[in-house]
Amino acid sequence: MALSRVGQQGIVLGIFAVMFAAFVVFLPGFFTTANMLTLLQNVSVLGILGLAMAIVVIGRGIDISLIAVLAVPPGLVLQMVQDGSSLPVALSVALLLAVAFGVFNGWLIAYAEVPALFTTLASGLFLAGFGQAALFKLDVVQWSPGMQGFEWLGQGQLLGVPLPIIVFGLACLAVAFLLRSTRPGAYIYAVGDNPNTARVTGIPTRPIIVLQYVLAALIGCFAGLVMASSVNSMPTRIFNSTMIYDVILVVVLGGIGLSGGRGGVLNVVIGTLLIGTMLNGMTIMDVSYSGQNLVKGVVLLIAVIADSFVNPRNEETAQQGDI
């Protein structure tokens, strides 16, 4: 019998606890204040991206373009302020760009019926390339005096707790409220569970799909702003990294079924803790970049195989096609 979602969450949480304890005991430098703060800040950005991906995956989709929207609109904020624009104007333009990008993705997937994987892969490449070719003067967009005060979002503290962690917590509460306490959230689960049935019952499935990708783009942009304010710059070539696989790992390992209609914010939190700790430990152990990719690839493959058993697709689900 397949494991229940609660059982899977418990298993992943147990793995995290064992891994964390092992790192504390056997890995010098892991359980230090500086490293814990670094771990928490890194986890916050990864977790916020995980929330964006979770909304899309619950609705039976996937968004490979998240890292592009993490880099380009926030990078545009820094570039515009550097060129003399005011911070509110730059933020407004970046948010409009993120919304337009989400609508574009959602329209292609919902109305043109282009598979989500290919749509977001192509659109992410386009947005990243457009940023490099037309928006940014350098690969790393630097902080400027006009951004003064905004760094508090990524570097500030509240009652001794780094603000990115508080921001991640607030984002979790907001997404949990959306998914569990609002009609659009219920519609997202319904579309993910069975889009044909959802359509027959009168749910506006196409607008809901567009909404998923708009929300994902906005949350991804927000994660980029947190990241940029943490390091006082935006390395726009982060799109070329393997960060998107970390986000997928967070979602799948946390227990959100790739077949749609299952999972929630708690799954994202559990997956974020596990993946964030694993990556931090490998960094301290000085595992090479290639070695880290090897480990992540093996873990992702195991997670996807496990997901096929934990959240099996029935015949009706299989007829809907792959994500």
Side-chain angles (χ1 to χ4, degrees), residues 242 282 288-298:
T242 59
M282 288 194 295
S288 67
Y289 185 73
S290 299
Q292 291 189 29
N293 286 339
L294 176 62
V295 172
K296 288 189 289 186
V298 171

Side-chain angles (χ1 to χ4, degrees), residues 46 48-54 56 62-74 101 105 120-121 123-124 127 212-213 215-221 223-224 238-239 243-244 247-248 251:
L46 183 61
I48 295 171
L49 288 173
L51 293 172
M53 184 68 80
V56 174
I62 196 166
D63 192 350
I64 305 299
S65 65
L66 269 180
I67 308 305
V69 81
L70 166 87
V72 176
F101 184 71
N105 275 341
T120 56
L121 177 61
S123 65
L127 182 62
Q212 293 172 23
Y213 287 92
L215 290 174
L218 284 173
I219 296 172
C221 177
I238 193 173
F239 174 77
M243 192 173 185
I244 189 63
V247 179
I248 295 173
V251 171

Side-chain angles (χ1 to χ4, degrees), residues 31-285:
F31 197 59
T32 63
T33 301
N35 185 61
M36 288 297 100
L37 289 175
T38 300
L39 171 62
L40 291 175
Q41 287 188 338
N42 292 339
V43 158
S44 65
V45 173
L46 183 61
I48 295 171
L49 288 173
L51 293 172
M53 184 68 80
I55 292 174
V56 174
V57 172
I58 289 171
R60 195 180 291 202
I62 196 166
D63 192 350
I64 305 299
S65 65
L66 269 180
I67 308 305
V69 81
L70 166 87
V72 176
L76 180 60
V77 172
L78 271 64
Q79 188 67 67
M80 289 182 65
V81 172
Q82 193 179 102
D83 292 341
S85 299
S86 67
L87 180 58
V89 169
L91 287 171
S92 299
V93 172
L95 291 176
L96 287 174
L97 176 59
V99 170
F101 184 71
V103 169
F104 178 71
N105 275 341
W107 184 87
L108 284 176
I109 294 164
Y111 291 93
E113 298 185 354
V114 181
L117 178 63
F118 301 127
T119 295
T120 56
L121 177 61
S123 65
L125 286 170
F126 170 79
L127 182 62
F130 177 71
Q132 294 291 332
L135 300 180
F136 308 129
K137 299 176 181 177
L138 298 172
D139 290 341
V140 179
V141 187
Q142 298 294 336
W143 210 251
S144 59
M147 297 291 298
Q148 186 174 1
F150 195 76
E151 67 272 5
W152 187 73
L153 179 64
Q155 302 175 27
Q157 292 188 354
L158 188 62
L159 300 177
V161 180
L163 198 62
I165 301 303
I166 298 175
V167 168
F168 175 43
L170 293 175
C172 287
L173 292 176
V175 173
F177 177 79
L178 167 72
L179 292 176
R180 298 298 183 180
S181 303
T182 67
R183 184 171 296 178
Y187 287 170
I188 289 173
Y189 278 102
V191 171
D193 187 56
N194 193 315
N196 285 340
T197 300
R199 186 177 295 111
V200 169
T201 57
I203 293 175
T205 56
R206 296 184 193 275
I208 287 298
I209 291 173
V210 175
L211 176 64
Q212 293 172 23
Y213 287 92
V214 171
L215 290 174
L218 284 173
I219 296 172
C221 177
F222 179 64
L225 291 172
V226 174
M227 176 180 164
S229 58
S230 298
V231 297
N232 284 357
S233 65
M234 173 50 72
T236 58
R237 287 195 178 274
I238 193 173
F239 174 77
N240 296 324
S241 71
T242 59
M243 192 173 185
I244 189 63
Y245 302 118
D246 300 340
V247 179
I248 295 173
L249 272 170
V250 163
V251 171
V252 177
L253 277 181
I256 296 179
L258 291 174
S259 56
R262 299 178 177 87
V265 170
L266 181 58
N267 301 92
V268 175
V269 174
I270 293 173
T272 301
L273 290 173
L274 178 60
I275 298 305
T277 302
M278 182 183 72
L279 295 177
N280 183 263
M282 288 194 295
T283 300
I284 293 177
M285 289 186 289

